[in-house]
Amino acid sequence: MNNEPLTINYEPVIGLEVHVELKTKSKMFCSCSADYFGQKPNTHTCPVCLGSPGALPVPNGKAIDWCVMIGLALNCKIANFSKFDRKNYFYPDLPKGYQISQYDQPFCLKGFITLSNGKKIGITRVHMEEDTAKLTHQGENSLIDFNRSGVPLVEIVTEPDFENAKEVIEYLKKLQQIVRYLDVSDADMEKGNMRLEPNISLREITMNNELLTINNLPKYKVEVKNINSFRFAEKAIEYEIRRQTEILSENKTPVQETRGWDEDKQKTVSQRIKEEANDYRYFPEPDIPPIRFTQNQIRQLADQMPELPDAKLARLIKEYNLSKYDAEILTREKEMTDYFEEAVKVGKTFKINPKQIANTVINKKIDMNNILPAELVKNIVNFKKTDDIDENKLQEITDKVIKENQKAINDYKSGKVQVIGFLIGKVKQHFPTADSNQIKTALEKKLK
Ligand code: ZN
Ligand code: MN
């Protein structure tokens, strides 16, 4: 009997670490302004966030509440007892020589996000920490800006549950949508207030005498950094899957390392080889007492939370009889749903079907900042009227416009046909939402 594996396939095993900067007014452990983007370097600093010896951290209560809310929104269990720890490592962006983070007792544990195909992506933990200073390299010099040092940062870690880049992107979009709904972060990748690090490896699936064996988690893991858009994330993950498949099919094992995405070269490049796990020598932060949450406090935070995307989507479908597709577009941003629902309310008086409002909002790319929901409804009502636009009235108005705009008519007749646009505009003043083509045809007939 032949015991050689008949076929070997590789299945990607992907996990994700996401850092989200909170948009609190002040920093995590001092009263410096956390709004550092675009500010003059090193103007939002104090002894605490500069890491001066003896300076004492005072935790930002709002940031902790928001971290718990993120955990609740991600279906996590909230710890009744939690603490901060020191994560020690030496790097110039960290003046204290350690980052205040959370190690074994984070605020939130064991949650999940459900993808549209029903698959649940497990969330291992959600914890609170502080951001580091920002390093900029200019030739041989490195510049440090401490404005970002100590800005509240929430880290969200998943289980290695993703099988492809598509799932990762869907998860990221959902996560971004949730923190924006909660209004706790702008989660803007370009500004760096949402940062992500996927870790990717491949496991073997062997077929031996019709016995399918899915092997355990791989013995190595490749972390990819330097990804600042969803598109880069997708490309970096797909690149890694190809690269690692090649190595494995030559019977070798990929090196456990940190790689960076190089957009110019369209590939990942080795940055740092981890020979053993980092030893951060975590220990409890002695300057901050442990934090306790009662069930009642957690319930109060849950009560303050807005309706979240999944719930809103389900409600829109049910309440207004919308398609899933339409409801998905309308709930992408909370402002869009609010706008739609406001228009539905106004539309009720005019017996306008919510579906028609949804169509208009989605297809006409309404400028929500300049057209109020009531105006939108008015337009729909007027548009309905033009369905049976009175032909006699149209003739009458076009005659009137022609008579009153002889100069334009002469221009038109001498070959400047583009003035038709001006004339259409004049007629349109009487039929604001009428089909321009219908008016154009009526005008052209008369100008022949
Ligand atoms: Zn400060
Ligand atoms: Mn972190």
Side-chain angles (χ1 to χ4, degrees), residues 385-396:
K385 283 183 190 153
T386 62
D387 280 349
D388 38 57
I389 184 169
D390 184 350
E391 190 63 27
N392 290 330
K393 183 95 200 277
L394 182 63
Q395 297 302 330
E396 186 191 307

Side-chain angles (χ1 to χ4, degrees), residues 238-255:
E238 277 164 5
Y239 178 84
E240 267 310 299
I241 292 171
R242 286 197 304 276
R243 189 185 69 86
Q244 293 177 25
T245 306
E246 253 170 56
I247 297 172
L248 286 163
S249 45
E250 285 167 7
N251 251 330
K252 294 183 216 151
T253 309
V255 179

Side-chain angles (χ1 to χ4, degrees), residues 223-329:
E223 238 173 64
V224 185
K225 296 196 188 247
N226 198 25
I227 293 174
N228 39 29
S229 77
F230 291 159
R231 222 166 50 84
F232 291 0
E234 192 169 357
K235 288 197 277 188
I237 290 167
E238 277 164 5
Y239 178 84
E240 267 310 299
I241 292 171
R242 286 197 304 276
R243 189 185 69 86
Q244 293 177 25
T245 306
E246 253 170 56
I247 297 172
L248 286 163
S249 45
E250 285 167 7
N251 251 330
K252 294 183 216 151
T253 309
V255 179
Q256 165 123 349
E257 62 182 337
T258 302
R259 299 175 72 88
W261 174 248
D262 186 329
E263 176 61 12
D264 292 334
K265 293 188 183 131
Q266 292 289 303
K267 58 190 214 171
T268 62
V269 289
S270 182
Q271 285 188 333
R272 181 156 51 97
I273 296 188
K274 272 187 199 169
E275 273 160 10
E276 62 226 82
N278 271 312
D279 184 6
Y280 292 120
R281 298 184 295 112
Y282 279 101
F283 63 87
E285 166 60 60
D287 292 333
I288 304 173
I291 289 155
R292 286 164 217 272
F293 274 107
T294 62
Q295 282 313 106
N296 202 22
Q297 284 170 314
I298 295 168
R299 205 172 310 119
Q300 273 176 12
L301 287 175
D303 287 345
Q304 285 172 36
M305 285 168 45
E307 183 181 35
L308 292 168
D310 281 351
K312 218 182 252 299
L313 179 82
R315 183 173 63 78
L316 252 58
I317 293 172
K318 204 170 158 232
E319 202 170 318
Y320 305 112
N321 198 19
L322 300 181
S323 68
K324 193 177 175 212
Y325 177 83
D326 285 356
E328 249 160 24
I329 297 177

Side-chain angles (χ1 to χ4, degrees), residues 27 30-32 44-49:
K27 290 188 182 181
C30 61
S31 56
C32 292
H44 294 192
T45 60
C46 74
V48 173
C49 55

